[in-house]
């Protein structure tokens, strides 16, 4: 006899399964198993995927209380993610990967290079802690970093990671995205982050320097462009970059039929409604030509026999890929300039990089990990 | 089956097949995993069901299961538990999304109390008691797959049944550890028995080969001297004494080995007993103790050993080359940095 049904009256107890951890992972005994970690160190968000099922993402913000009073008030020595953002006025606030701080030409916005590097290191420690590694397990991590990250910044990342893991490797972000999806042959990856857009050509081998392009037409560029457009149309409106970023993240859309976007911004302290539909569409669309410029360069320098296949396998990843209608807009632009084009959006933009890094960690032979200990 | 809140109208929910139902449950499990909310699986068995079948016939068995199912449905509704249940054979499996372990414990206790209060009876009027096993999705073994979750609930049910029934057991890490220890104990006991037999056999014939070698050596010493009756008698006495001493030493060694084996078995048994007592500790007490010690042991990985690339991967060769390149790049970078650091230091 079989029977089934649902019992569905009443309320359930809610609650989030994830809990904060405390304490370090320092230990000497390592016979409990092997934990793999995949980390995507992004300008805007840092994500981790682990082989214990933990997946966490936090915004890449770090804050240190400015003085004793702030420390007493906040009750912490370091704040991360949205909490740091929320209390940024009482903190020395860092966005350690802003505009690609990890790159050699970084720190144009601030001279506090050491501070940014320390913040990046603290951010890595925190994200690893949030993956809840057990003290009796071997922990092996692969961290996806921008392809052009400078050596001294890579060193800072490795140093920070080594405090929490047994062995660590770095790899380029767009490559990890492609690897995670098993798309290793004749694929063009567009990884739209906040600071940079990385384009990477995959052709069955490890991509070389000539296979990768990076430009700064990414999320931050869209934010600045949107701020300019709103300022131009509504000069009386008062807003900050953070407010513009929130508007973009909530309403980003590129299609001609996008619903009207009306937001409230203060004017002399009074909340006032503004229609920013056109501004959002224009700002989001502004990155498309630059993206297709990069695609055209990578396609044009590829084996002519496989160019067509490459054009039909463009993979859109990263937080920027969540802009509605972006895939269609790129396809249209590609058709106009390159004759044809097919763009695929990855299913999990936030975890695409970390899932790929986790897969690399899993596939890496044991002896390689041992040699890097 | 569902009913509206004021009870004035009835509507019939579509009856799903077991496969469809399991599919829905699986979707819920994966959603819970992705969005990281707690989900519990409850496995229910009626105690003494075989006796009911023997006494009252096979129809009574089916009727008892049906009564248990209806009781679950009624109590879940009355106390606001939203979930899905499947009855198959002599088990009922229910899954409750967004339900924390302490709340699942409440449901378990309610079901047990209902059983004890004779609110559910068999066809012959006998009260039905239940064994309940539950698991939650916050352990590595249960979070990684739906099968793991169900298996853990099944193990918890086994513990409840083995403990005499009429009880609720939530599968936690303590249960998991006990299970592992039981396996260890069984394996150790088996090995020790085999070793013990071997040692006893060896001790029994005073070391077999060793004894023969000893006698040979003594006889070789006496072969170099002249043979007189006194010397032959002396040789015999020495051989007898040496064999007796050898036997005694072997016996002592075997006894020491046996004592060590017994100590190991005893230690495993004591650990099991200690951990079993932990099961009796309530969730609240555990939470309190954990909070006091601010211990978070972390979440265990699903891998016990280093993995590496699978040989049957379709792109194994290309991936192997890529792994090698990533490793070489990292090795060059990390070792160079180490060398520089040493040089500067």
């Amino acid at each position: 006899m079989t029977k089934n049904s649902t019992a569905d009256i009443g309320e359930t107890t809610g609650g989030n399964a994830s809990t904060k951890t405390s304490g370090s992972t320092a230990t000497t005994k390592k016979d409990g198993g092997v934990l793999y970690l995949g980390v995507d160190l992004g300008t805007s968000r840092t994500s981790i995927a682990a082989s214990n099922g933990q997946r966490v993402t936090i915004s890449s913000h770090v804050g240190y209380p400015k003085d004793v009073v702030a420390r007493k008030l906040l009750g912490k020595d370091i704040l991360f993610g949205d909490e740091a953002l929320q209390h940024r006025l009482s903190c020395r606030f860092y966005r350690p990967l802003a505009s690609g701080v990890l790159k050699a030409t970084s720190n144009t916005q601030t001279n506090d290079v050491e501070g940014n590097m320390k913040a990046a290191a603290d951010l890595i420690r925190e994200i690893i802690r949030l993956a809840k590694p057990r003290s009796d397990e071997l922990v092996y991590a692969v961290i996806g970093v921008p392809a052009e990250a400078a050596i001294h910044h890579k060193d800072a990342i490795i140093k920070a990671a080594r405090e929490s893991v047994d062995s660590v490797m770095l790899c380029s972000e767009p490559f990890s995205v492609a690897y995670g999806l098993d798309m290793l042959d004749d694929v063009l990856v567009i990884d739209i982050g906040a600071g940079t857009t990385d384009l990477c050509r995959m052709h069955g081998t490890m991509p070389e320097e000539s296979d990768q392009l990076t430009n700064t037409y990414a999320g931050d560029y869209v934010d600045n462009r949107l701020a300019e457009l709103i300022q131009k149309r509504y000069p009386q409106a008062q807003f900050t970059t953070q407010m513009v970023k929130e508007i973009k993240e909530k309403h980003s859309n590129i299609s001609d039929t996008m619903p009207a976007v009306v937001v409230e911004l203060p004017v002399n302290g009074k909340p006032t409604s503004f229609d920013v539909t056109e501004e959002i569409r224009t700002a989001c669309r502004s990155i498309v030509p630059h993206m297709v410029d990069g695609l055209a360069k990578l396609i044009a320098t590829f084996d002519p026999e496989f160019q067509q296949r490459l054009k039909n396998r463009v993979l859109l990843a990263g937080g920027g890929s969540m802009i509605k209608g972006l895939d269609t807009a790129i396809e249209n632009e590609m058709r106009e300039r390159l004759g044809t084009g097919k763009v695929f959006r990855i299913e999990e933009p936030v975890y695409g990089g970390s899932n790929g890094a986790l897969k690399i960690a899993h596939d890496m032979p044991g002896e390689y990990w041992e040699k890097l200990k | 089956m569902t009913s509206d809140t004021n009870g004035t109208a009835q509507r019939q929910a579509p009856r799903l097949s077991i496969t469809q139902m399991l599919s829905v449950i699986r979707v819920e499990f994966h959603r819970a995993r992705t969005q990281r909310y707690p989900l519990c699986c409850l496995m229910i068995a009626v105690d003494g069901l075989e006796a009911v079948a023997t006494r009252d016939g096979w129809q009574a068995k089916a009727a008892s299961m049906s009564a248990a199912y209806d009781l679950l449905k009624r109590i879940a509704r009355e106390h606001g538990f939203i979930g899905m249940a499947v009855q198959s054979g002599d088990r009922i499996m229910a899954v409750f999304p967004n339900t924390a372990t302490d709340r699942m414990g409440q449901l378990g206790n309610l079901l047990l109390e209902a059983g004890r209060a004779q609110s559910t009876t068999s066809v012959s009027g006998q009260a039905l008691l239940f064994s309940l096993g539950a698991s939650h999705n916050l352990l590595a073994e249960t979070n990684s797959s739906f099968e793991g979750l169900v298996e853990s609930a099944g193990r918890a049910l086994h513990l409840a049944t083995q403990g005499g029934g009429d009880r609720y057991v939530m599968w936690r890490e303590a249960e998991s550890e006990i299970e592992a220890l039981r396996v260890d104990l069984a394996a150790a006991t088996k090995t020790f028995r085999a070793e013990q037999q071997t040692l006893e056999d060896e001790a029994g014939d005073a070391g077999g080969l060793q004894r023969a070698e000893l006698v040979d050596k003594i006889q070789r010493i006496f072969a170099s001297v002249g043979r007189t009756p006194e010397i032959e008698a002396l040789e015999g006495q020495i051989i007898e004494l040496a064999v007796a001493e050898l036997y005694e030493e072997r016996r002592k060694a075997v006894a020491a080995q046996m004592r060590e084996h017994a100590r190991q078995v005893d230690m495993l048994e004591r650990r099991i007993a200690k951990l079993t007592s932990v099961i009796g500790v309530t969730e609240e007490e555990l939470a309190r103790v954990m909070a006091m010690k601010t211990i978070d042991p972390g979440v265990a990985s699903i891998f016990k050993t280093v993995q590496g690339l699978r040989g049957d991967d379709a792109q194994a060769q290309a991936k192997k080359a890529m792994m090698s390149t990533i490793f070489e790049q990292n090795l060059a970078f990390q070792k160079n940095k180490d060398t520089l650091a040493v040089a500067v230091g």
Side-chain angles (χ1 to χ4, degrees):
Chain A
M1 174 185 159
T2 61
K3 193 172 179 180
N4 67 68
S5 175
T6 55
D8 61 349
I9 296 176
E11 295 172 354
T12 59
T13 53
N16 194 330
S18 69
T19 51
K20 294 276 179 192
T21 60
S22 62
S24 75
T25 56
T27 186
T28 50
K29 198 178 174 210
K30 299 277 184 182
D31 56 358
V34 181
L35 178 70
Y36 295 111
L37 303 177
V39 182
D40 180 2
L41 207 52
T43 304
S44 175
R45 305 197 76 78
T46 295
S47 308
I48 190 164
S51 64
N52 59 3
Q54 298 292 303
R55 297 210 309 178
V56 185
T57 184
I58 57 172
S59 58
S60 303
H61 299 125
V62 183
Y64 302 92
K66 275 179 183 167
D67 48 35
V68 180
V69 178
R71 185 176 292 116
K72 186 80 178 167
L73 181 74
L74 299 169
K76 289 176 186 171
D77 289 332
I78 312 176
L79 283 78
F80 296 98
D82 292 340
E83 195 181 11
L85 192 64
Q86 194 186 339
H87 298 290
R88 62 187 181 276
L89 297 180
S90 12
C91 292
R92 276 184 292 116
F93 181 69
Y94 293 95
R95 196 182 174 206
L97 301 129
S99 305
V101 150
L102 287 173
K103 296 184 178 177
T105 55
S106 65
N107 304 311
T108 51
Q109 295 173 338
T110 171
N111 290 323
D112 191 1
V113 179
E114 289 303 317
N116 271 303
M117 285 175 64
K118 181 179 182 308
D122 286 334
L123 183 66
I124 290 164
R125 271 190 287 273
E126 174 67 4
I127 197 78
I128 291 174
R129 190 184 69 81
L130 290 176
K132 299 183 178 180
R134 283 177 70 122
S135 56
D136 59 348
E137 288 183 331
L138 275 171
V139 185
Y140 293 150
V142 169
I143 302 178
V145 295
E148 295 171 19
I151 282 189
H152 62 290
H153 292 123
K154 280 184 181 173
D155 190 39
I157 292 170
I158 286 174
K159 265 188 195 161
R162 270 189 173 169
E163 287 176 19
S164 317
V165 306
D166 293 280
S167 196
V168 58
M169 291 194 203
L170 305 182
C171 76
S172 97
E173 277 168 2
F175 169 76
S176 66
V177 170
Y179 193 90
L181 297 170
D182 261 348
M183 295 180 80
L184 305 176
D185 210 8
D186 300 337
V187 180
L188 270 168
V189 182
I190 307 176
D191 184 10
I192 310 169
T196 59
T197 293
D198 292 314
L199 294 102
C200 178
R201 184 171 62 195
M202 299 289 299
H203 46 84
T205 60
M206 201 66 193
E208 293 167 6
E209 209 175 321
S210 59
D211 295 316
Q212 303 189 55
L213 280 177
T214 298
N215 63 47
T216 51
Y217 298 103
D220 289 349
Y221 174 82
V222 174
D223 295 344
N224 293 334
R225 185 89 184 95
L226 182 57
E228 277 172 25
L229 292 168
I230 295 175
Q231 187 67 58
K232 190 176 173 186
R233 186 169 168 194
Y234 306 112
Q236 73 279 26
Q238 295 172 308
F239 53 86
T240 63
T241 313
Q242 184 57 34
M243 289 161 77
V244 171
K245 184 179 161 71
E246 283 166 15
I247 292 170
K248 179 202 73 177
E249 286 182 353
K250 194 171 174 188
H251 302 287
S252 63
N253 200 322
I254 217 167
S255 66
D256 293 327
T257 55
M258 68 180 280
V261 179
V262 177
V263 296
E264 279 200 345
L265 297 171
V267 176
N268 295 325
K270 183 186 171 190
T272 312
S273 296
F274 295 100
D275 184 339
V276 293
T277 315
E278 195 51 44
E279 283 70 27
I280 286 180
R281 185 189 294 123
T282 308
C284 291
R285 199 170 268 179
S286 64
I287 58 173
V288 175
H290 303 289
M291 233 175 269
V292 178
D293 282 347
L295 291 177
K297 272 184 201 166
L298 290 175
I299 290 167
T301 51
F302 197 53
D303 187 330
E305 200 179 330
F306 298 101
Q307 285 185 7
Q308 189 62 25
R309 184 169 157 78
L310 207 56
K311 279 189 261 186
N312 286 324
R313 284 161 64 87
V314 177
L315 195 63
L316 199 55
S321 69
M322 288 191 278
I323 296 174
K324 293 182 189 77
L326 183 61
D327 48 352
T328 314
I330 297 172
E331 278 180 5
N332 291 340
E333 186 85 7
M334 283 179 76
R335 265 190 225 112
E336 204 172 290
R337 293 171 54 181
L338 304 168
T340 183
K342 184 73 190 162
V343 180
F344 302 91
R345 194 195 292 262
I346 70 164
E347 280 184 17
E348 289 191 299
V350 176
Y351 289 104
S354 51
N355 285 345
L358 178 62
K359 198 167 179 197
I360 292 170
H362 177 278
D363 288 352
M364 193 64 72
E367 62 265 28
Y368 290 175
W369 288 117
E370 286 294 320
K371 282 179 188 169
L372 287 175
K373 270 184 181 177
Chain B
M1 192 85 80
T2 63
S3 66
D4 65 355
T5 47
N6 60 20
T8 54
Q10 295 286 324
R11 61 193 164 87
Q12 194 77 28
R15 178 61 61 86
L16 305 176
S17 70
I18 281 208
T19 313
Q20 287 171 320
M21 201 64 192
L22 285 174
S23 178
V24 172
I25 292 173
R26 257 175 214 283
V27 168
E28 198 58 56
F29 171 81
H30 289 293
R31 189 178 295 150
R33 187 182 168 189
T34 310
Q35 298 180 10
R36 294 189 291 133
Y37 58 78
L39 174 145
C40 287
C41 177
L42 181 67
M43 200 81 83
I44 304 170
V46 176
D47 292 339
L49 193 64
E50 289 310 315
V52 170
T54 311
R55 189 179 59 235
D56 303 325
W58 65 269
Q59 298 94 333
K61 186 177 170 181
S64 298
M65 286 308 298
S66 200
Y69 182 87
D70 291 339
L71 177 72
L72 169 69
K73 205 161 73 172
R74 179 171 64 78
I75 290 183
R77 280 183 180 173
E78 282 173 1
H79 294 87
F81 289 90
I82 298 177
M84 293 151 275
V86 180
Q87 182 195 323
S88 178
D90 56 359
R91 293 280 184 278
I92 297 168
M93 186 186 80
V95 170
F96 296 91
N98 260 315
T99 304
T101 49
D102 54 346
R103 191 137 158 77
M104 186 46 44
Q106 288 171 13
L107 178 63
N109 289 328
L110 287 167
L111 285 167
L112 292 178
E113 281 164 17
R116 288 169 201 150
Q118 302 197 339
S119 63
T120 313
T121 55
S122 66
V123 287
S124 60
Q126 301 255 342
L128 291 178
L129 296 176
F130 309 107
S131 291
L132 309 170
S135 62
H136 60 83
N137 67 338
L138 304 182
L139 300 174
E141 65 187 274
T142 54
N143 186 259
S144 54
S145 74
F146 176 64
E147 286 73 18
L149 181 79
V150 176
E151 197 180 323
S152 298
R155 285 182 191 158
L157 178 63
H158 178 70
L159 283 174
T161 316
Q162 292 299 304
D166 188 25
R167 66 184 62 199
Y168 165 84
V169 174
M170 166 61 81
W171 184 260
R172 295 186 301 257
E173 294 202 337
E175 281 84 355
S176 170
E177 197 167 335
I178 289 169
E179 192 68 16
L181 276 175
R182 281 195 176 133
V183 172
D184 286 353
L185 178 62
T189 311
K190 195 178 170 187
T191 313
F192 293 164
R193 275 198 195 121
E195 282 182 17
Q196 189 171 354
Q197 190 59 48
T198 311
L199 289 169
E200 278 172 357
D201 289 348
E202 282 183 8
D205 66 351
L209 192 60
Q210 281 182 342
R211 180 187 173 187
E213 281 176 0
L214 183 69
V215 172
D216 276 353
K217 280 179 186 169
I218 296 171
Q219 284 175 341
R220 271 202 298 277
I221 294 168
F222 280 95
S224 59
V225 298
R227 308 291 290 177
T228 63
E230 288 79 16
I231 286 180
E232 279 178 5
L234 187 62
E235 183 188 15
Q237 283 174 16
I238 288 173
I239 288 173
E240 196 178 328
L241 182 65
V243 168
E245 283 299 314
L246 178 67
Y247 177 81
E248 187 56 25
E249 287 304 312
R250 291 287 304 173
R251 197 189 58 75
K252 281 181 187 168
V254 169
Q257 189 75 35
M258 292 297 121
R259 275 199 302 277
E260 175 59 19
H261 286 175
R263 193 187 64 78
Q264 286 183 28
V265 169
D266 183 52
M267 195 176 70
L268 282 169
E269 281 174 345
R270 271 191 284 123
R271 278 189 70 191
I272 289 173
K274 189 179 172 186
L275 282 167
T276 307
S277 69
V278 172
I279 297 172
V281 179
T282 62
E283 288 286 338
E284 287 80 7
E285 282 172 327
L286 273 177
R288 187 176 55 80
V289 171
M290 293 292 273
M292 274 170 60
K293 294 181 178 176
T294 59
I295 295 169
D296 187 340
V299 181
S301 173
I302 58 171
F303 300 117
K304 291 294 167 203
T305 56
V306 178
Q307 298 297 297
L309 193 59
R310 280 172 48 190
D312 59 351
D313 192 297
Q315 303 180 82
Q317 285 307 315
K319 284 183 178 176
K320 205 172 164 186
M322 286 171 178
M323 293 301 107
S324 178
T325 309
I326 294 171
F327 165 69
E328 295 294 342
Q329 286 171 352
N330 276 277
L331 185 70
F333 169 69
Q334 293 190 31
K335 294 299 171 192
N336 280 348
K337 293 305 292 182
D338 289 348
T339 313
L340 275 175
V342 170
V344 172

